[in-house]
Amino acid sequence: MATSNVVCALVISTLFHFVLVPVSSREIHVLKKCGFQAIYQLGDSLADSGNLIRENPLSPYASFPYGLKLSKPTGRCSNGLLMIDYIAHSTKLPYLDAYLNLVRNSSGGRGGVNFAVAGSTALPEKVLLSKNIMNLVTNESLSTQLKWMSTYFNTCSKDCDKEIKSSLFMVGEIGGNDYNFGFLFHKTTEEMKALVPEVVKAIKDAVVKVIGHGARRVVVPGNFPIGCFPVYLSQFQPNDTAAYDEFKCIKGLNSFSRYHNELLKQTVEGLKKQYPDVIIVYGDYYKAFMSIYQNAQSLGFDTKSIQKACCGTGAGHNFSLTRMCGAPGVPVCPNPDQYISWDGIHLTQKAYQHMAEWLINDIFPKLQCSS
C-alpha cells in the first residue's frame, strides 16, 4: 500500500475465491525454532519503524494519533505495531530499529535492522520520473535501502558473516507505491500493467543482492488486495454492482494486485532454481489479508466497519484525501481494535497482528527450520 494520497485505475476482472482459516495466537512463537540471530527488513510503510520520520520529522507519522497504542509515535504507520514487529516477537528477537536511527546514534542493530522507508518504491526515482511518475513522499527507493544495507554489512564485526547466514531477510512488501503513484498521475491500466515486470525485476535484483551478502533464508511478500482499502474505495465507486465481490471490494483492483503477485511468485520459483542452497519463500500478504475479511466477526472486528478508516473523516469509508489522519480536527474511533483499517491506507495493530499470525503459520514450514 502507498503512504500518501493515492488514486487508482479500475481493471475489470473476476475474483477467485478461497477459504482461509484464522490462526491461533499460540502459534505465533513458532519462528523461534529457526534460531534466527537477526532480521533484516527492506520495504515501505508496511514495515518502516522510523526511517521516514528521521528523514522528514514533519511527517504525520511522527505525531499522535500514530503510535497511539505505543508510548510515543515511532514512525510506524499505524496506531501500534506492524507485522514485522510480530515476526520479530515470534523469533524472540527485539523489535527492529530503523537504520537511520542507528546511524544517528552510531550504534549497531541489536537483533537486526529495518531499512524500510514509508513511501518507498521498488524502482528508483529517476526511472519513475522518466515515466512521468513522481514519488510524493520520499526520494528513497529500494536501491537506496540496498545501499544502506551494504554500508551496514561492510562496517559490522567479524562475526557478521556468520550472523547473516543465520538471519531472516524480508524483501518487501515493496512495489505497491510504484503503481499507486502511477495511478495518481493518471496512468492507464495498460501502462501500469506494463510497469509490473520492471517492478518485479527490481524486487528480484534485491533478492539476488541480499543473497550476495550471504542470506540463506529470504521471504518475498506480495501485495495486498488493494480493492478492499478505503483509500481506493472512496475514489472509485462503480455503479455496477458486478464490479464488487461479496466483500464489497472492487474486483478489478484486486485483479491488478493478483497480476503483480502471480508474476512475483513465478520469479520466486525461478530464483529457487537459480539458488538451490537458499530458502526463498513467497509471503502471501493477499491471502493473509483476506483471512481477516473472511473471519472478521470471529476475530472481533465490527463487520459494519471493515471498510471504514478508524482515523479519518468522510462519507462512506471515513476517508478523505483532503483531510487525512493526523490533520487537525480529524477524529479517531474509540475502538481501534474493532477496525481493520487504521487511516484508510494502513491497517490497525490488531489487523496486522492477525495477518502476522497467518503469515507466520504459512511460512514456517517453508523456511525448513529444524523443529
Side-chain angles (χ1 to χ4, degrees), residues 224-262:
F224 282 63
I226 60 176
C228 299
F229 282 69
V231 61
Y232 297 98
L233 291 163
S234 65
Q235 301 306 305
F236 290 90
Q237 302 176 23
N239 294 324
D240 184 3
T241 56
Y244 299 90
D245 64 17
E246 70 271 31
F247 301 104
K248 297 183 180 179
C249 302
I250 301 175
K251 293 179 182 179
L253 294 176
N254 285 356
S255 176
F256 185 85
S257 293
R258 293 200 309 276
Y259 176 71
H260 165 90
N261 290 344
E262 287 302 318

Side-chain angles (χ1 to χ4, degrees), residues 16 18 173-176 179 196-197 199-200 203 220-226 253-269 282-290:
F16 65 86
F18 36 73
E173 183 273 333
I174 192 77
Y179 310 135
V196 173
V199 169
V200 171
I203 298 171
V220 187
N223 205 354
F224 282 63
I226 60 176
L253 294 176
N254 285 356
S255 176
F256 185 85
S257 293
R258 293 200 309 276
Y259 176 71
H260 165 90
N261 290 344
E262 287 302 318
L263 189 56
L264 186 60
K265 288 179 195 176
Q266 294 172 21
T267 299
V268 167
E269 290 303 312
Y282 173 74
D284 204 330
Y285 281 14
Y286 192 108
K287 286 187 179 180
F289 181 87
M290 290 308 298

Side-chain angles (χ1 to χ4, degrees), residues 355-370:
M355 277 194 64
E357 290 173 2
W358 189 96
L359 183 73
I360 289 166
N361 186 63
D362 186 60
I363 67 174
F364 173 65
K366 301 171 185 177
L367 287 170
Q368 302 178 33
C369 302
S370 59

Side-chain angles (χ1 to χ4, degrees), residues 59-114:
S59 166
Y61 310 129
S63 304
F64 286 123
Y66 288 91
L68 201 59
K69 290 181 75 73
L70 308 176
S71 59
K72 63 179 181 179
T74 60
R76 289 169 171 81
C77 301
S78 180
N79 64 320
L81 299 176
L82 309 176
M83 280 187 286
I84 185 57
D85 296 312
Y86 288 104
I87 291 171
H89 180 64
S90 177
T91 63
K92 294 296 185 180
L93 290 170
Y95 296 147
L96 304 187
D97 202 355
Y99 172 73
L100 294 182
N101 287 340
L102 300 176
V103 170
R104 178 173 180 176
N105 299 328
S106 300
S107 60
R110 191 169 67 91
V113 181
N114 194 333

Side-chain angles (χ1 to χ4, degrees), residues 139-203:
N139 295 327
E140 316 299 0
S141 66
L142 181 57
S143 60
T144 302
Q145 296 178 37
L146 289 167
K147 289 176 183 177
W148 289 348
M149 180 179 282
S150 294
T151 299
Y152 178 79
F153 287 146
N154 287 337
T155 56
C156 67
S157 66
K158 295 180 180 179
D159 295 331
C160 200
D161 289 343
K162 183 178 179 181
E163 179 184 279
I164 290 173
K165 288 180 170 59
S166 301
S167 297
L168 175 65
F169 284 75
M170 300 289 297
V171 182
E173 183 273 333
I174 192 77
N177 288 323
D178 299 67
Y179 310 135
N180 297 325
F181 294 134
F183 286 129
L184 174 63
F185 284 91
H186 309 293
K187 295 297 180 181
T188 66
T189 297
E190 291 307 311
E191 286 177 312
M192 295 315 301
K193 288 190 73 173
L195 191 65
V196 173
E198 291 185 61
V199 169
V200 171
K201 184 180 184 303
I203 298 171

Side-chain angles (χ1 to χ4, degrees), residues 205-360:
D205 292 344
V207 174
V208 171
K209 286 187 178 180
V210 301
I211 291 174
H213 286 302
R216 289 298 174 264
R217 281 183 171 82
V218 184
V219 175
V220 187
N223 205 354
F224 282 63
I226 60 176
C228 299
F229 282 69
V231 61
Y232 297 98
L233 291 163
S234 65
Q235 301 306 305
F236 290 90
Q237 302 176 23
N239 294 324
D240 184 3
T241 56
Y244 299 90
D245 64 17
E246 70 271 31
F247 301 104
K248 297 183 180 179
C249 302
I250 301 175
K251 293 179 182 179
L253 294 176
N254 285 356
S255 176
F256 185 85
S257 293
R258 293 200 309 276
Y259 176 71
H260 165 90
N261 290 344
E262 287 302 318
L263 189 56
L264 186 60
K265 288 179 195 176
Q266 294 172 21
T267 299
V268 167
E269 290 303 312
L271 285 166
K272 288 179 181 180
K273 295 177 181 178
Q274 187 175 352
Y275 299 97
D277 296 330
V278 180
I279 306 299
I280 308 172
V281 178
Y282 173 74
D284 204 330
Y285 281 14
Y286 192 108
K287 286 187 179 180
F289 181 87
M290 290 308 298
S291 73
I292 301 177
Y293 258 55
Q294 293 180 336
N295 300 284
Q297 186 171 3
S298 64
L299 293 174
F301 294 108
D302 178 6
T303 56
K304 295 180 180 179
S305 302
I306 60 174
Q307 291 187 332
K308 293 182 179 180
C310 168
C311 179
T313 185
H317 303 286
N318 206 34
F319 179 86
S320 171
L321 288 171
T322 58
R323 293 190 67 209
M324 297 176 67
C325 182
V330 173
V332 178
C333 70
N335 51 347
D337 284 352
Q338 294 182 22
Y339 280 70
I340 292 175
S341 178
W342 165 242
D343 59 6
I345 300 171
H346 310 99
L347 307 188
T348 60
Q349 173 178 294
K350 194 70 173 180
Y352 280 137
Q353 177 185 352
H354 287 301
M355 277 194 64
E357 290 173 2
W358 189 96
L359 183 73
I360 289 166

